[in-house]
Amino acid sequence: MTRIIADITMSLDGFVTGPDPGPRSGLGTGGRALHAWAFSDDPDDRRVLREATARSGAVVLGRRLFDLVDGPNGWDDETGYGATEVGRPAFVVVTSSAPRAVRLTDLDWTFVTTGLPDAVAAARERAEAASADSGRDLDVVLMGGRATVGSALDAGLVDALTLHLAPVVLGAGTPLFTGRAPRTLVQRTVAVTSTATHLTYDVL
């Protein structure tokens, strides 16, 4: 069965970027430390990353994040979706208008201009098709940013939440949960590594 999984890294004080994120520094000041686990040599970090990438039948992201990963300093042959795993699922971008051009033309991009629920529905169709082709269940992964993940949680579109809790205190930045609608979570898995605590919850 295809599930909708929100997957995001957060600091100990609840931020998903440092202060002042922008086109040249998408994670803001000090924010690169959040994703140290994704480039770690720790075998448990590698397993978490590999399994998450492998289960991704389709990925939803917002336009700001798309502009970063498709920009000149974004993904390449060595670092892409899943960091060094460089996964190639279908990508669905929530945006008010499609870009005039795409740099990463070897990836499967769909641009949805009618809102997040339609983008999630489109991604589910792609993930279900990929599941049928591969003979195993694949999921839709919401990789961010904060607005995309938060809006999906608020709208009740998320089946599971995976948080990668980095041992970093940023002090300021982009908070994940401030002003969010209340949700009941059921903890399912915890994996503690040298660089992060990986938590998975069912969202009720």
Side-chain angles (χ1 to χ4, degrees):
M1 181 181 71
T2 296
R3 299 178 301 161
I4 311 300
I5 300 176
D7 189 308
I8 197 162
T9 300
M10 184 175 74
S11 68
L12 287 176
D13 50 347
F15 297 104
V16 296
T17 78
D20 302 318
R24 295 193 177 189
S25 179
L27 291 171
T29 303
R32 289 180 63 86
L34 290 172
H35 290 165
W37 72 269
F39 299 92
S40 166
D41 292 329
D42 186 301
D44 289 323
D45 283 324
R46 303 307 309 163
R47 176 185 56 78
V48 167
L49 192 64
R50 183 174 61 253
E51 290 176 355
T53 305
R55 76 165 186 255
S56 301
V59 175
V60 177
L61 62 157
R63 177 58 184 270
R64 180 178 172 275
L65 184 53
F66 165 78
D67 287 342
L68 291 171
V69 302
D70 194 58
N73 298 315
W75 290 347
D76 55 31
D77 291 338
E78 295 181 358
T79 303
Y81 177 68
T84 55
E85 293 294 315
V86 194
R88 293 178 177 270
F91 294 95
V92 178
V93 181
V94 188
T95 180
S96 59
S97 61
R100 293 182 179 179
V102 174
R103 178 178 66 87
L104 298 169
T105 56
D106 57 330
L107 298 181
D108 180 356
W109 297 103
T110 299
F111 299 92
V112 175
T113 59
T114 53
L116 181 58
D118 287 346
V120 171
R124 184 189 292 276
E125 289 182 5
R126 302 301 297 276
E128 288 174 347
S131 296
D133 289 343
S134 67
R136 60 192 178 92
D137 288 337
L138 298 174
D139 297 321
V140 173
V141 177
L142 306 179
M143 68 171 285
R146 183 278 307 265
T148 300
V149 169
S151 296
L153 285 167
D154 288 349
L157 298 172
V158 177
D159 298 313
L161 171 64
T162 296
L163 285 178
H164 309 284
L165 192 61
V168 176
V169 176
L170 293 172
T174 306
L176 179 58
F177 291 120
T178 299
R180 303 261 69 95
R183 289 286 170 201
T184 300
L185 305 178
V186 178
Q187 185 168 288
R188 292 304 184 197
T189 64
V190 179
V192 180
T193 74
S194 60
T195 56
T197 301
H198 306 283
L199 302 153
T200 300
Y201 302 91
D202 287 341
V203 180
L204 304 183

